[in-house]
Amino acid sequence: MRTIRLANLNAYKLGRDTIDTASWKARVTAIGEIAPDILALQEVVVDETRPPEEWATEASTVIQQLAAETGLSATTVRADGTPGPTAMANNLARGWYTALLWNPETVKPIAGGFRPYGSPDFWHGFTTVRFDIGSAQPVTVASYHGDPFRGNWRRDEAFRIKSVFRTTGGAKPGLALGDFNALSAAKVNGPEGEHFYDPEPYLDHDHDDLEYQLLEGTIGKEQLADRRQSEVLLRRGFMVDGAAHLKVPWQATVGHWEDGRGDPDPWGARRIDLVYATRPVVPALVSYSTHTSPAAREASDHLPVICEIDPSRISGEA
């Protein structure tokens, strides 16, 4: 059986005014290079000066245009089998959307399997779709964008993420892809013993934004990254971090845009765009990579990450 390729892209303020620009074309090119079966997308933004009741139409137009130009679909299927709304979600108070797109030739959305989550559960929207990917059971895929400012909120969101994938005492087959806006807590073994897959990046930082990423009480001291969000997801092996689990060489997903291009970046090179797979999907993980082509580097301040899975190796879990 062929593998299924999932990818994640925070598309950097992808809005109506970006259509047909050079950056739009770079995004289309990068997605074409990846050729995903399922693409998780973040940071589709709308003009918030317009009435909120118009936001969904504007976001849907942008997402559907991107889908059309990349050969993907973003149209869900209602429980009765009729075409549903665009697979997207926001938090109902902000015009920032997450979305899911897919190759209709290789995967099929389950009728009635789309669910968008917003406030009060998520600062940004959380988009979920159940797919038939050729495995024994449908697989739930989610597009997530973590709160950039509050570690406590990210931790609380992690519990809500887990609830989407839980069964009584276990986990459903699924993957959560996104810009988590925080480091992973996954660990690997090395010559000096067990250590974090993502090294501490803030040890020598000295700026006001530290409070958004460091554990409280460590600023000016140990300067330790707040990994509590990831600790919730990884607890008892409920999920694994795909890159750390497969032990691929570490690569940053942000930090390649210099200050003054896009939003100023005080953080430097980090890996905050992640793929988490639930326990039943772990045996199916085949490969993981970061897409670093010229188009990808031009498209966004976040590099796409790619994960391949073998549907035949997804296990059931009571």
Side-chain angles (χ1 to χ4, degrees):
M1 180 178 288
R2 71 181 295 273
T3 60
I4 296 296
R5 174 172 287 195
L6 301 99
N8 187 79
L9 173 61
N10 176 319
Y12 185 68
K13 298 181 181 178
L14 185 71
R16 186 175 52 184
D17 60 348
T18 66
I19 294 175
D20 291 332
T21 64
S23 65
W24 174 275
K25 293 174 183 177
R27 296 175 181 108
V28 171
T29 297
I31 293 169
E33 293 168 345
I34 295 168
D37 296 295
I38 301 173
L39 174 68
L41 190 69
Q42 299 87 46
E43 221 165 281
V44 177
V45 300
V46 303
D47 180 0
E48 292 185 340
T49 66
R50 299 179 64 188
E53 58 268 22
E54 298 178 7
W55 292 356
T57 298
E58 183 177 337
S60 177
T61 297
V62 173
I63 294 164
Q64 291 290 352
Q65 180 72 22
L66 184 67
E69 293 191 29
T70 55
L72 302 175
S73 174
T75 301
T76 60
V77 181
R78 294 188 175 94
D80 63 4
T82 60
T86 298
M88 65 185 194
N90 71 327
N91 77 351
L92 307 181
R94 294 299 308 274
W96 291 55
Y97 288 76
T98 63
L100 286 166
L101 296 82
W102 56 90
N103 182 343
E105 301 299 319
T106 59
V107 300
K108 305 294 182 184
I110 300 293
F114 161 60
R115 183 171 177 183
Y117 296 80
S119 59
D121 297 310
F122 294 96
W123 175 241
H124 291 106
F126 186 66
T127 303
T128 69
V129 175
R130 296 174 69 227
F131 289 101
D132 178 357
I133 65 169
S135 52
Q137 300 180 54
V139 172
T140 299
V141 180
S143 177
Y144 171 66
H145 193 176
D147 187 311
F149 301 120
R150 292 166 291 188
N152 288 338
W153 195 298
R154 287 193 295 269
R155 178 179 178 273
D156 288 345
E157 286 182 340
F159 283 109
R160 193 67 177 100
I161 291 171
K162 286 181 75 172
S163 76
V164 172
F165 293 101
R166 68 173 289 279
T167 60
T168 302
K172 300 174 186 175
L175 300 102
L177 300 88
D179 168 9
F180 283 74
N181 265 321
L183 296 190
S184 171
K187 295 183 177 181
V188 293
N189 288 311
E192 298 180 357
E194 189 178 60
H195 59 87
F196 285 122
Y197 178 75
D198 293 276
E200 296 287 351
Y202 310 123
L203 300 179
D204 299 322
H205 282 222
D206 183 16
H207 51 75
D208 289 337
D209 290 343
L210 286 174
E211 60 191 359
Y212 301 135
Q213 286 291 319
L214 293 188
L215 282 173
E216 188 173 356
T218 72
I219 298 175
K221 301 175 184 176
E222 302 97 324
Q223 306 250 122
L224 301 179
D226 185 348
R227 304 176 193 252
R228 291 175 297 162
Q229 170 203 63
S230 182
E231 289 170 352
V232 169
L233 300 175
L234 298 175
R235 188 172 298 134
R236 300 188 71 252
F238 187 90
M239 288 180 163
V240 301
D241 174 332
H245 178 77
L246 292 173
K247 298 181 175 63
V248 300
W250 186 91
Q251 284 186 280
T253 63
V254 293
H256 58 282
W257 277 14
E258 66 277 7
D259 285 357
R261 181 183 183 191
D263 295 324
D265 179 7
W267 306 110
R270 298 177 297 154
R271 189 184 71 104
I272 58 175
D273 301 86
L274 311 170
V275 178
Y276 288 99
T278 63
R279 194 181 294 120
V281 177
V282 173
L285 293 172
V286 173
S287 69
Y288 192 102
S289 60
T290 303
H291 191 62
T292 62
S293 74
R297 290 181 172 276
E298 176 67 23
S300 174
D301 59 342
H302 291 250
L303 292 171
V305 293
I306 305 166
C307 181
E308 291 186 313
I309 62 173
D310 179 350
S312 67
R313 290 161 56 184
I314 294 176
S315 68
E317 179 166 317

